[in-house]
Amino acid sequence: MEPKSRSDDFSKLEGATETGIDRRPQPFRALILEPVLFQRREGAEAELRGNRSPEARLEEAVGLSAAINLDIVSAGVVKISNPKPATLFGEGKVSELAGIVEAEDVDLVVVDHPLSPIQQRNLERRLKTKVIDRTGLILEIFGDRARTKEGKLQVDLAHLTWQKSRLVRSWTHLERQRGGVGFMGGPGETQIESDRRQIQDRITALQKQLEGVRRTRDLHRKKRKKIPQPTVALVGYTNAGKSTLFNRLTKADVFAKDLLFATLDPTLRKITLPHGREVILSDTVGFISDLPTHLVAAFRATLEEVLEADLILHVRDISHPDTDAQAEDVKKTLEDLGVSPQTGAPIIEVWNKIDCLDPAYRDKLLAEQGREGPISLSALTGEGIDQLYNRIDAFMAEKDDTFTVVLPVSAGELLAQLYQMAEVLERKDGDETIEAIVRVSDKQRGPFRAKFKHYMDGQSA
């Protein structure tokens, strides 16, 4: 019997009704499995993925599945002491799962663990339904969330790269395509070779399109470097509250929901800090544990906003029981991108969702805040937001220079450029001259000196 075949968007159609056909998409019935692999060490068993509990990983897998509207009929942890190369699970467990799939009419089995192409194919044959692993699930979510052209191109590239590595021989109807003319042609190429070639052609085309997007993004980034506003990037584990914080700071209306990977495409907005300084705030895609490397590569153009940032805010869900493990996953992904406190922009931790904490602990975190260390806040209620504003403002001010500039009143064009390139702290208008005390950001220091060197003494005020 062949595996069930359903549409790629994990939705199915109901049958005919008395009034006709109900074509509203219905969620797939899904079975979620969290494999726990053990290895014997000195007479005892140790879990191979011990950075967080199996129950927490299962909860995350269920959350990921809910992100694409799957109807989860069953979910559980499966202990594996001897992984099988053919199916990952043992023979008895595979038979048990086949019974559950048949009894519950399961359309999709999600295995929250990497599966080899052979394991995926064999499980689909044995369970007689569709099977995807963690990478496949994340790709489906990204495909559902992508809204911009760039996001869709990135998802398509990641999906094709993943699909190319998973071509296995699961048919016998075509041994080889015949080459040449008539009966004298050579053996030609196998079906797998043909599929792999077609996928590679599409990958090459997508890479060319993304290269054009990257060049456009580079041009926009270079234009931003010519203006005095520095860039602050939000990073963090998925569902840590980055988009909610982004909306709170920018008064924007970016889609934000208590959902894993609620937003995918990057968004940039200008915000004004308490002392009048303007900065560009960038919201990026959330990170997650075991993020596929080719997915990081596909989204590198998007994540380059983090690489070019002047300051990085690492948003953490401090109320989550695995917040420390999530923070380590974010740091690892940043390091894969080449970002660390030693090599990249400074990183400030933002402990979000304090409204979900015990009141006594929340008050303790707020009382301990200072000029250094994490900032505790609630993006939902706004508590602690002022401390974040002040910390960003103080950080930016540390890298600034203050100059006194004296311009002739007739130099209207220069005065306009002064306001564009610096923050005017104080201005005195005389009969013949205009004296201004200005604050210049680190990135604008060189261009500002070159432009106004004849109108200042070269010393900080």
Side-chain angles (χ1 to χ4, degrees):
M1 180 177 178
E2 293 296 323
K4 296 178 184 178
S5 176
R6 300 291 175 97
S7 58
D8 291 338
D9 63 352
F10 293 148
S11 62
K12 57 184 178 181
L13 303 179
E14 288 186 341
T17 63
E18 293 181 358
T19 58
I21 298 178
D22 184 356
R23 296 189 178 277
R24 291 174 298 179
Q26 301 299 313
F28 261 40
R29 294 173 60 83
L31 168 64
I32 315 299
L33 302 176
E34 180 60 52
V36 181
L37 277 63
F38 290 91
Q39 185 179 53
R40 291 194 174 276
R41 295 177 182 173
E42 299 180 356
E45 286 187 334
E47 195 202 335
L48 295 180
R49 299 165 65 194
N51 60 332
R52 64 186 71 189
S53 68
E55 291 73 20
R57 295 201 300 268
L58 176 62
E59 181 182 356
E60 182 176 274
V62 170
L64 287 170
S65 302
I68 50 175
N69 198 32
L70 294 179
D71 180 12
I72 302 168
V73 298
S74 183
V77 174
V78 181
K79 295 183 178 181
I80 304 174
S81 57
N82 186 22
K84 302 298 181 183
T87 56
L88 182 64
F89 306 103
E91 190 66 26
K93 177 56 68 173
V94 173
S95 299
E96 178 187 339
L97 293 174
I100 296 175
V101 168
E102 183 176 5
E104 299 289 344
D105 189 26
V106 171
D107 305 309
L108 177 70
V109 175
V110 178
V111 181
D112 188 37
H113 189 275
L115 292 176
S116 70
I118 296 297
Q119 288 173 339
Q120 181 179 1
R121 182 196 66 181
N122 290 341
L123 283 173
E124 288 185 340
R125 286 178 172 177
R126 293 291 303 277
L127 302 182
K128 299 182 176 61
T129 193
K130 177 70 176 174
V131 177
I132 62 174
D133 64 1
R134 182 180 180 84
T135 301
L137 178 61
I138 293 174
L139 285 171
E140 290 294 339
I141 297 171
F142 275 37
D144 183 62
R145 295 287 183 271
R147 293 292 180 267
T148 65
K149 178 182 178 181
E150 178 184 5
K152 292 176 181 178
L153 288 173
Q154 290 169 329
V155 171
D156 287 345
L157 176 60
H159 201 286
L160 286 171
T161 304
W162 177 74
Q163 184 179 346
K164 180 185 175 183
S165 67
R166 308 188 73 79
L167 291 177
V168 294
R169 184 178 178 184
S170 57
W171 57 81
T172 57
H173 68 282
L174 268 182
E175 174 64 19
R176 282 184 179 269
Q177 296 179 5
R178 299 293 298 181
V181 181
F183 297 100
M184 299 300 294
E189 63 182 350
T190 64
Q191 185 68 38
I192 291 179
E193 289 169 344
S194 174
D195 290 344
R196 186 174 288 115
R197 175 175 49 78
Q198 293 181 45
I199 289 177
Q200 183 57 51
D201 289 344
R202 293 175 62 189
I203 288 175
T204 302
L206 286 174
Q207 288 173 335
K208 289 181 179 179
Q209 294 183 61
L210 278 172
E211 180 63 22
V213 172
R214 188 191 65 80
R215 286 196 296 267
T216 301
R217 188 175 289 278
D218 282 344
L219 289 174
H220 292 167
R221 193 177 293 116
K222 289 177 181 177
K223 288 182 179 179
R224 289 201 300 271
K225 286 183 177 181
K226 294 180 180 179
I227 60 177
Q229 290 89 355
T231 302
V232 178
L234 298 176
V235 302
Y237 206 80
T238 181
N239 205 30
K242 295 185 306 302
S243 295
T244 303
L245 179 59
F246 184 85
N247 288 339
R248 170 71 63 174
L249 295 174
T250 64
K251 308 297 187 295
D253 192 24
V254 173
F255 178 65
K257 192 175 181 181
D258 185 14
L259 196 69
L260 297 180
F261 292 115
T263 54
L264 178 59
D265 298 305
T267 309
L268 290 88
R269 293 288 189 277
K270 184 186 296 185
I271 64 172
T272 303
L273 299 176
H275 291 89
R277 180 194 303 274
E278 292 182 338
V279 299
I280 304 296
L281 190 66
S282 171
D283 187 18
T284 58
V285 62
F287 299 157
I288 197 168
S289 62
D290 302 324
L291 192 64
T293 54
H294 60 270
L295 197 58
V296 175
F299 279 81
R300 189 171 183 83
T302 299
L303 296 173
E304 281 178 356
E305 296 294 343
V306 179
L307 300 177
E308 299 292 333
D310 297 279
L311 176 65
I312 297 174
L313 301 182
H314 176 189
V315 184
R316 291 177 54 178
D317 178 0
I318 198 62
S319 68
H320 197 284
D322 284 325
T323 181
D324 291 335
Q326 291 180 352
E328 288 301 317
D329 290 328
V330 172
K331 290 177 182 177
K332 183 180 182 301
T333 305
L334 287 175
E335 288 173 358
D336 291 341
L337 290 169
V339 177
S340 70
Q342 292 75 33
T343 61
I347 301 175
I348 297 177
E349 284 199 357
V350 177
W351 290 2
N352 189 26
K353 302 190 182 182
I354 61 172
D355 54 299
C356 300
L357 298 175
D358 175 80
Y361 183 45
R362 182 183 69 236
D363 293 341
K364 178 176 180 292
L365 291 179
L366 292 173
E368 291 176 347
Q369 291 189 135
R371 294 179 58 86
E372 297 181 355
I375 300 174
S376 302
L377 54 78
S378 170
L380 187 63
T381 66
E383 189 175 17
I385 291 295
D386 289 341
Q387 285 82 355
L388 178 60
Y389 274 128
N390 293 332
R391 179 72 69 83
I392 298 174
D393 209 353
F395 171 82
M396 296 301 174
E398 290 178 357
K399 304 174 68 177
D400 289 350
D401 281 338
T402 304
F403 297 103
T404 299
V405 179
V406 180
L407 298 175
V409 293
S410 59
E413 183 177 351
L414 275 176
L415 183 63
Q417 291 177 344
L418 183 74
Y419 274 88
Q420 291 176 355
M421 299 181 68
E423 178 186 356
V424 179
L425 303 177
E426 186 179 341
R427 173 175 165 175
K428 296 179 182 178
D429 290 8
D431 293 336
E432 298 182 359
T433 62
I434 299 173
E435 180 179 322
I437 299 177
V438 298
R439 185 161 57 192
V440 183
S441 66
D442 179 59
K443 66 168 60 177
Q444 284 292 314
R445 186 182 296 119
F448 184 86
R449 284 180 179 274
K451 174 67 68 173
F452 295 96
K453 61 184 178 181
H454 298 301
Y455 304 97
M456 61 184 185
D457 57 9
Q459 303 295 321
S460 296

